[in-house]
Amino acid sequence: MNENGSADATANEGAHATGVSAATAVQAATATRAAGADRGRDEAFRLLDLIAQAHAGVSVIGSMNADYTVVTQRLPKPGETINGGPLRLLPGGKSANQAAAAARIGADARMFGAVGQDDNAGFLLGCLKDAGVDASHVDAVPGPSGTTVITVDAHGENTIVYSAGSNASVTPEYVRASRDAITSSSVLGLCLESPMETVTACARMCHDAGMLVLLNDSPFVAQLPAELIEACDILLVNEHEMAQLLGVPEPANGDWNLVDWHDLATAMARYGFDRAIVTLGADGSVVLDRGEVHRISPVRVDALDTTGCGDAFMGTVLAGLASGLSLAQSAQCASYVSAYAATGAGAQNSYGTTAQIKQYFGSGTVA
């Protein structure tokens, strides 16, 4: 039974015992939940204000992509040509998205990577600048920038083809040459859209420099190099990725409330991460922090487009940690930032500032 159902059931039992009407008891339980949601929202707002005031440094190294997107009634079959709607060009790339999300809420975000020598290069760098990201250390290499070709059907299903382009040219040599700029921040964000040797070299360099290193294992890799695990402090994965990584079965009914998260925290520590965040989609997230388990409630919205919401979550956690927040506090803020992102189209285009997020959820839209 979900949390709301449990509360209502308890209210009904209490009403039967005391003679209070069931309707009145359920109303009281609903009011209690609403008050709890308000307190959680107010605390998240307070923490977001701290992030906005801190302007703490965050470094992100990795991918920048130009996303070519077309909407069709259905996905084409092999060899078939079908009509689609207008072609849209949107800024993307997991790392660029994460840097943009962090900058939007006030972090001093710095992007490291490479664009090509094409029209998309200026487009991608311009979008990062508009979000407030320092992209002055991004390299320009011969050839095209990273791109994705995305087809979306009327039901929201999609196919995505990724062409690494300039992202494949982000080398360990580039990382070492950019050392001073990268390590001027206190927190580093990594994902796996860049070559593994580059990600590992950067993690090791920044770990040795005393930075906090957060790895988003996405696109998912089930066998991470031992050197990378050793050099990273915190892991961010979703529930399905965690199950594959640890070799544990998923609950048969998909209800992650029924699993023993302390056992999973122990298994995660054995794997090499005593600090991790496991996102659960619409069910929020779970923070595993040195043996402690913190359940982070979801923030419910009428979602328009969930593209890039995970990157908004990651970017917010980076900003929170750099600002001195705990891992659980950072995840609490990330729930609001990523939920807001789901109300707009695209990834970077949908990311909000602290003021926009507070205005949206301050109107009582929290479920």
Side-chain angles (χ1 to χ4, degrees), residues 5-363:
S6 298
D8 291 343
T10 302
N12 281 320
E13 291 168 3
H16 184 74
T18 62
V20 178
S21 73
T24 300
V26 170
Q27 288 173 355
T30 301
T32 300
R33 288 198 302 273
D38 287 344
R39 287 193 297 272
R41 178 192 61 196
D42 292 345
E43 174 64 5
F45 286 2
R46 183 185 73 84
L47 296 172
L48 283 169
D49 283 338
L50 290 177
I51 293 173
Q53 294 161 9
H55 299 293
V58 170
S59 292
V60 182
I61 184 165
S63 56
M64 293 164 279
N65 299 329
D67 294 342
Y68 289 89
T69 305
V70 62
V71 177
T72 65
Q73 280 298 309
R74 60 179 179 82
L75 300 178
K77 298 176 182 178
E80 182 183 25
T81 300
I82 62 175
N83 289 321
L87 183 68
R88 300 181 66 194
L89 176 61
L90 298 171
K94 293 189 66 64
S95 301
N97 292 346
Q98 292 162 10
R104 288 280 189 199
I105 60 172
D108 181 7
R110 304 176 184 107
M111 180 71 204
F112 298 86
V115 293
Q117 294 177 349
D118 56 4
D119 291 341
N120 286 336
F123 168 70
L124 294 172
L125 294 176
C127 290
L128 286 172
K129 182 178 179 181
D130 289 345
V133 177
D134 178 359
S136 61
H137 299 282
V138 172
D139 202 3
V141 298
S145 300
T147 55
T148 60
V149 179
I150 305 171
T151 305
V152 184
D153 72 11
H155 303 289
E157 294 294 331
N158 61 46
T159 61
I160 301 175
V161 178
Y162 169 59
S163 175
S166 55
N167 294 319
S169 298
V170 182
T171 62
E173 289 72 27
Y174 165 81
V175 167
R176 288 188 283 270
S178 305
R179 183 187 187 282
D180 289 346
I182 296 173
T183 58
S184 64
S185 301
S186 61
V187 175
L188 173 71
L190 295 169
C191 71
L192 299 180
E193 283 188 339
S194 297
M196 185 64 77
E197 63 176 357
T198 302
V199 174
T200 303
C202 191
R204 171 53 59 192
M205 180 185 77
C206 292
H207 179 80
D208 291 346
M211 295 178 68
L212 192 65
V213 181
L214 175 57
L215 173 66
N216 179 201
D217 187 0
S218 181
F220 178 67
V221 174
Q223 298 293 330
L224 294 171
E227 184 181 358
L228 178 60
I229 296 172
E230 182 184 353
C232 293
D233 299 287
I234 302 169
L235 178 69
L236 175 63
V237 288
N238 65 34
E239 71 273 43
H240 309 298
E241 293 163 345
M242 177 199 65
Q244 293 182 64
L245 201 67
L246 302 181
V248 298
E250 298 193 23
N253 59 358
D255 186 356
W256 288 91
N257 290 310
L258 302 178
V259 305
D260 189 327
W261 282 100
H262 286 91
D263 284 350
L264 291 175
T266 300
M268 185 68 78
R270 283 199 301 266
Y271 186 84
F273 293 97
D274 62 359
R275 307 184 76 192
I277 300 177
V278 182
T279 58
L280 303 174
D283 291 327
S285 61
V286 177
V287 174
L288 311 177
D289 196 352
R290 299 188 176 103
E292 295 184 356
V293 175
H294 304 272
R295 187 64 185 261
I296 308 300
S297 299
V299 178
R300 305 198 186 280
V301 295
D302 292 327
L304 174 67
D305 183 357
T306 59
T307 302
C309 289
D311 296 330
F313 191 102
M314 168 82 167
T316 305
V317 172
L318 292 170
L321 293 171
S323 303
L325 273 58
S326 70
L327 192 57
Q329 288 174 324
S330 300
Q332 183 180 4
C333 291
S335 289
Y336 282 85
V337 177
S338 57
Y340 178 88
T343 66
Q348 294 175 37
N349 289 0
S350 69
Y351 296 164
T353 63
T354 295
Q356 290 171 327
I357 293 164
K358 289 174 65 176
Q359 181 179 17
Y360 182 86
F361 290 110
S363 60

